[in-house]
């Protein structure tokens, strides 16, 4: 199955080098949630959906606890999660407070990568065999919607 995209023209006149050019943008056919993932695990293994869901739910809690404890979380074959923060500068160390200077906190994700020995390029195993298809090649929006339903597990 290929990943869908659509072409979008840049209409921002302030971007002189990009104005009027066409760019690929991803098209998403749906979202899979924890239940859907658990159902797919059940379909593809000997684990029951309820067991898979329990493990996945606990995994989210464990990752949350680890991130809040200043740890990075690395999942082999998937990637690494860590906390990122941005703050305003303070004139002196004594004048810095989280309440006044912290602007935001976010979760950062770095997908698993390897380096190709020949080209020295970084490779992302999850994207290595990805193929693309222009959504305009499909008959209509209904076909895109149906494609998303086919890929989602049924309850």
């Amino acid at each position: 199955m290929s990943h869908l995209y659509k072409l979008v023209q840049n209409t921002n006149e302030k971007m002189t080098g990009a104005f009027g050019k066409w760019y690929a943008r991803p098209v998403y056919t749906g979202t899979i949630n924890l239940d859907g993932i658990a159902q797919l695990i059940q379909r593809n293994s000997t684990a029951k959906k309820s067991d898979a869901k329990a493990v996945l739910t606990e995994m989210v809690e464990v990752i949350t606890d680890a991130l809040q404890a200043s740890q990075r979380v690395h999942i082999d074959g998937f990637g690494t999660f860590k906390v990122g923060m941005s703050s305003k500068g303070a004139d002196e160390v004594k004048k810095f407070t989280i309440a006044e200077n912290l602007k935001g906190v976010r979760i950062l994700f770095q997908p698993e990568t390897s380096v190709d020995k020949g080209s020295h390029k970084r490779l992302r195993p999850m994207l290595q065999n990805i193929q693309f298809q222009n959504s305009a090649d499909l008959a209509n929006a209904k076909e895109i919607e149906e494609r998303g339903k086919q890929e989602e597990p049924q309850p």
Side-chain angles (χ1 to χ4, degrees):
M1 184 71 50
S2 53
H3 194 294
L4 296 176
Y5 70 93
K6 65 181 177 180
L7 295 176
V8 176
Q9 189 173 29
N10 183 325
T11 59
N12 185 346
E13 294 176 0
K14 293 180 182 177
M15 298 177 73
T16 55
F19 177 72
K21 294 187 179 179
W22 293 86
Y23 295 89
R25 295 292 179 258
V27 172
Y28 301 102
T29 60
T31 301
I32 188 167
N33 62 16
L34 195 67
D35 277 333
I37 293 169
Q39 188 168 341
L40 289 173
I41 289 171
Q42 174 179 278
R43 188 172 71 193
N44 296 332
S45 71
T46 59
K48 293 196 180 293
K49 178 183 173 185
S50 58
D51 296 331
K53 186 173 179 182
V55 169
L56 291 168
T57 300
E58 187 60 28
M59 184 178 86
V60 171
E61 290 181 27
V62 168
I63 289 172
T64 300
D65 291 345
L67 292 172
Q68 291 178 0
S70 294
Q71 294 179 320
R72 289 186 203 154
V73 178
H74 179 78
I75 300 173
D76 294 336
F78 188 62
T80 303
F81 295 92
K82 63 183 180 178
V83 172
M85 59 187 346
S86 58
S87 61
K88 296 185 289 187
D91 293 330
E92 299 174 27
V93 170
K94 292 180 181 181
K95 290 185 178 181
F96 185 94
T97 66
I98 289 296
E100 288 293 317
N101 296 87
L102 185 65
K103 289 178 12 182
V105 180
R106 60 198 171 281
I107 299 205
L108 303 173
F109 175 71
Q110 174 65 47
E112 185 83 18
T113 59
S114 61
V115 177
D116 180 66
K117 292 179 181 174
S119 66
H120 302 289
K121 291 183 178 181
R122 289 180 175 235
L123 305 172
R124 295 203 179 4
M126 288 189 291
L127 298 175
Q128 229 168 343
N129 296 317
I130 193 168
Q131 297 174 357
F132 295 94
Q133 180 181 5
N134 190 333
S135 62
D137 294 343
L138 299 177
N140 54 41
K142 186 88 172 153
E143 188 176 344
I144 294 172
E145 182 181 323
E146 288 301 315
R147 176 178 160 162
K149 288 179 183 174
Q150 290 171 2
E151 295 172 359
E152 293 174 11
Q154 302 303 314

